[in-house]
Amino acid sequence: MLDKKEIKQKITSDNQYKSWMKKIQSITNEFAMSSEFNSKVVLDHEIEHMGRVANNVYKLLKECNFDEKTCNLGYIAGLIHDIGMVDGKTGHAQKGAEMAKIFLEELDLVDACDIKVITDAIENHGNGENSIEPITLSLAICDKADMCRKRSLGKLSPIQFIESYTMEVHKNILQINYVMDDLKGKEGLYIIPKSIDIPKTLGTKLGMQVEFYINGKYEEFEDRIEYKGQIYQRRNN
C-alpha cells in the first residue's frame, strides 16, 4: 500500500474527487447563506474538514498501536467520508459509502476487502452504529470531535468561539482539548450533543476513557443540563 503522503496525492489529485469538492463547496455556500437568514446551525463538510478528520483518524489509530495498514485505511476513509454531500446532507453517509466503493475500485488503491472496511466506516460515521471495527469507531469519534471555528458556517453559532482543538492519547486515555477565546464556545458542543456523547461512547469500544479539556482544564460539562438553547438533531450529522 502507498504511504500516507502518496495516498493523499492520489486521491486529492483525481479529477472525480476534484469535481465532488467543487460541488460540495457550492452546497456549503448555500448552507452558509441559509444559516445567516434562518438561524440554522450548519457545519462545513468540505475538503478541509475531511482532511482534519483524516489526519486525526490516522493519529488516533497510530497512538492506539494499530498497524500501518489499518492507519492508512482509516486515513483514506477520513479523506472521502463526506463525498456523499454532493447530493445534499440528507442520507449523505449512505450515499457516500456507495460512491466510495465505485471510486476506490476505479482508483485501484486498495483491494476489495479493504474497500468494504472503508465503506462500512463511511456509512456509519454518523454514530458508529453497533460497530466494533476500529476504523469505523475512530472515524465517528474524529468526525464528531471536529468542532472549531473553521468548521462553523455563518456567524450565528457559538461554535465560532472554539478556536481549535487537539486530540491526544495518553496511556488509555483520549484527551480532547478545545481552545476557546470565550467559554460561550461550550454551547457549541451542547448544540450538537454528538460532539460529546459519540467520542465518550465509542472511545470505550477502543478500550479508552475519553476526557475533555477546555483551555487545558478538565471539563465535566456540569452546566450542560442547564443549557436551554437550540439542539441540532438532524440525522447523519
Side-chain angles (χ1 to χ4, degrees), residues 147-149 158-164 178-180 185 188-189:
M147 295 283 284
C148 58
R149 182 177 297 138
I159 298 167
Q160 291 283 337
F161 296 108
I162 305 175
E163 181 179 335
S164 61
Y178 290 100
V179 177
M180 301 180 185
L189 304 178

Side-chain angles (χ1 to χ4, degrees), residues 204-226:
T204 61
K205 292 187 177 184
L206 284 174
M208 296 184 300
Q209 176 183 337
V210 177
E211 296 180 348
F212 289 91
Y213 292 80
I214 293 180
N215 298 335
K217 182 179 179 180
Y218 179 67
E219 177 62 54
E220 294 184 343
F221 300 117
E222 291 180 343
D223 57 344
R224 179 181 180 184
I225 194 171
E226 301 173 2

Side-chain angles (χ1 to χ4, degrees), residues 52-65:
R52 286 192 302 272
V53 171
N55 284 325
N56 283 330
V57 171
Y58 180 92
K59 179 180 179 182
L60 178 56
L61 290 168
K62 195 77 169 177
E63 293 185 349
C64 288
N65 297 314

Side-chain angles (χ1 to χ4, degrees), residues 86-130:
V86 295
D87 288 332
K89 184 167 177 54
T90 302
H92 78 277
Q94 174 66 42
K95 177 65 176 179
E98 297 169 358
M99 293 167 61
K101 181 179 185 297
I102 298 172
F103 177 64
L104 292 174
E105 288 173 346
E106 294 178 347
L107 205 62
D108 195 26
L109 185 60
V110 292
D111 63 28
C113 290
D114 293 335
I115 289 175
K116 181 66 166 58
V117 171
I118 293 169
T119 55
D120 282 351
I122 293 172
E123 183 173 357
N124 296 306
H125 79 265
N127 57 23
E129 293 295 337
N130 296 314

Side-chain angles (χ1 to χ4, degrees), residues 53 57 61 70 73-82 92-94 96-98 100-101 104 113-129 131-144 202 236-237:
V53 171
V57 171
L61 290 168
T70 300
L73 292 179
Y75 183 70
I76 293 170
L79 281 179
I80 62 177
H81 76 276
D82 274 337
H92 78 277
Q94 174 66 42
E98 297 169 358
K101 181 179 185 297
L104 292 174
C113 290
D114 293 335
I115 289 175
K116 181 66 166 58
V117 171
I118 293 169
T119 55
D120 282 351
I122 293 172
E123 183 173 357
N124 296 306
H125 79 265
N127 57 23
E129 293 295 337
S131 179
I132 58 172
E133 291 296 327
I135 292 174
T136 299
L137 299 175
S138 298
L139 178 60
I141 289 170
C142 295
D143 180 54
K144 297 302 165 282
L202 300 189
N236 296 324
N237 174 51

